[in-house]
Amino acid sequence: MEERVLLSASHLCKKFRLDRKNSIYAVRDVSLDIYRGETLALVGESGCGKSTLARLLLRIIKADEGSVLFEGRDITGLSEKALLPYRKEMQMVFQDPASSLDPRMRIRDIIAEPLETWRIYDDRRKIDDRITELLEMVELNEDCLDRYPHQFSGGQKQRIGIARAIAAEPKLIVCDESVSALDVCVQAQILNLLKRLKDRLKLTCLFISHDLSVVSFIADRVCVMKNGAICEMDAAEKIYASPEHEYTKYLLSSIPKLIF
Ligand SMILES: Nc1ncnc2c1ncn2[C@@H]1O[C@H](COP(=O)(O)OP(=O)(O)OP(=O)(O)O)[C@@H](O)[C@H]1O
Ligand SMILES: [Mg+2]
């Protein structure tokens, strides 16, 4: 496998049983590579299988068919225990910051959790220094540390979620609709932050969104999904300038004209 490929998926399929008679194919025969240092955007309408695909790639759920290689190693059939070292390398930032942060934990403990779980540092001082560094990266003040999630705005909570996701220096972060719950102005701030972090930390990011105008700001490549399958994947400039697939054209045509 090429050195520049961080994660490679081949022919992934996932079917969910709805009841005794009916099933739904959430992901059908999806193959894709994620390159080191890139932001790959996954776009498509609600229900097209984006989150299911992300969960398959991170091995949160098991595929019915197909395989996932992380740095060339096949993680498809690994047990939970064997997956542990990979869990550190692949982190997620969720859509709803309110429900993804434990309301009973102080911000200090939320950000420290991955550092403690993965035993990154051997003494408390180093953990505290790293927390201070992470706060600075996500542009929050140190006076946040002893407060609880409900004392923050949506945008601030998402900054905390990002700090937690990058704390243990994962090789891949997956942002699943991470700015969708925020108002447009705060969306732009968080997108700017993610872009700065990407440059500074050379992050590899799978950025999931139903909104092509949001994606245009951050993506190097764009993968368009429809009904569980990929219909087009290419460099972002190419997708926006000359989309080939009818569905991509349709998605682009639904972006408000004021923006494009
Ligand atoms: N655990 C599950 N059991 C049954 N069906 C599921 C399950 N998870 C997802 N699905 C179905 O699989 C399809 C794909 O869902 P998925 O959540 O991956 O879509 P999505 O593209 O992330 O949508 P959204 O943009 O709304 O987040 C949907 O039809 C959904 O109802
Ligand atoms: Mg989803």
Side-chain angles (χ1 to χ4, degrees):
M1 197 168 81
E2 282 178 78
E3 179 56 25
R4 67 177 179 141
V5 176
L6 178 66
L7 185 144
S8 180
S10 307
H11 305 292
L12 287 177
C13 295
K14 183 72 188 178
K15 185 166 76 170
F16 289 114
R17 193 168 284 281
L18 297 179
D19 52 45
R20 277 172 60 193
K21 280 201 192 123
N22 303 300
S23 318
I24 175 168
Y25 278 91
V27 171
R28 316 163 190 248
D29 196 20
V30 167
S31 299
L32 58 81
D33 288 339
I34 301 179
Y35 300 129
R36 290 175 199 276
E38 80 165 341
T39 296
L40 175 65
L42 190 57
V43 298
E45 283 169 319
S46 179
C48 74
K50 304 179 295 294
S51 298
T52 305
L53 177 58
R55 285 154 71 213
L56 291 172
L57 296 177
L58 301 192
R59 258 305 315 274
I60 295 168
I61 54 170
K62 273 195 170 170
D64 299 329
E65 286 170 52
S67 63
V68 180
L69 305 188
F70 187 80
E71 296 192 307
R73 284 181 291 271
D74 192 338
I75 62 168
T76 323
L78 294 186
S79 64
E80 265 315 311
K81 190 164 173 242
L83 272 170
L84 275 180
Y86 297 95
R87 297 271 177 249
K88 171 183 169 296
E89 304 300 351
M90 305 191 265
Q91 294 292 321
M92 229 162 151
V93 181
F94 296 94
Q95 169 167 6
D96 178 7
S99 62
S100 66
L101 302 176
D102 187 334
R104 293 157 307 180
M105 281 170 80
R106 290 175 312 165
I107 303 315
R108 177 191 304 283
D109 301 319
I110 289 174
I111 301 179
E113 197 176 40
L115 301 171
E116 288 162 355
T117 305
W118 306 111
R119 300 203 173 89
I120 309 278
Y121 301 107
D122 47 17
D123 76 76
R124 191 69 230 177
R125 265 271 309 280
K126 287 186 189 153
I127 293 183
D128 287 341
D129 289 348
R130 175 68 175 153
I131 292 173
T132 308
E133 183 183 37
L134 285 161
L135 276 186
E136 178 261 317
M137 281 185 197
V138 298
E139 296 153 8
L140 286 174
N141 291 327
E142 263 191 81
D143 59 14
C144 298
L145 284 176
D146 291 312
R147 286 154 58 190
Y148 291 87
H150 75 269
Q151 295 171 301
F152 294 89
S153 70
Q156 286 171 325
K157 279 187 215 150
Q158 207 52 303
R159 288 174 193 269
I160 297 162
I162 292 170
R164 178 180 61 181
I166 62 174
E169 300 189 72
K171 291 187 172 144
L172 173 68
I173 68 165
V174 175
C175 299
D176 191 354
E177 301 279 7
S178 304
V179 297
S180 311
L182 307 171
D183 75 55
V184 178
C185 182
V186 181
Q187 250 185 21
Q189 291 167 8
I190 299 293
L191 284 169
N192 272 312
L193 171 68
L194 284 170
K195 210 168 175 181
R196 281 196 293 277
L197 289 175
K198 177 195 160 189
D199 295 338
R200 178 166 168 184
L201 307 174
K202 315 238 172 316
L203 278 180
T204 307
C205 179
L206 179 67
F207 187 89
I208 300 174
S209 177
H210 61 276
D211 185 341
L212 265 169
S213 60
V214 161
V215 163
S216 69
F217 183 74
I218 195 155
D220 299 305
R221 287 193 304 147
V222 176
C223 173
V224 181
M225 256 184 112
K226 186 187 180 195
N227 293 339
I230 294 179
C231 54
E232 186 164 2
M233 180 155 60
D234 215 324
E237 314 84 75
K238 166 77 178 55
I239 293 274
Y240 287 93
S242 53
E244 271 170 26
H245 201 283
E246 283 308 315
Y247 183 64
T248 315
K249 290 179 192 167
Y250 160 74
L251 286 181
L252 283 169
S253 71
S254 37
I255 298 177
K257 290 286 175 285
L258 269 176
I259 299 174
F260 273 90

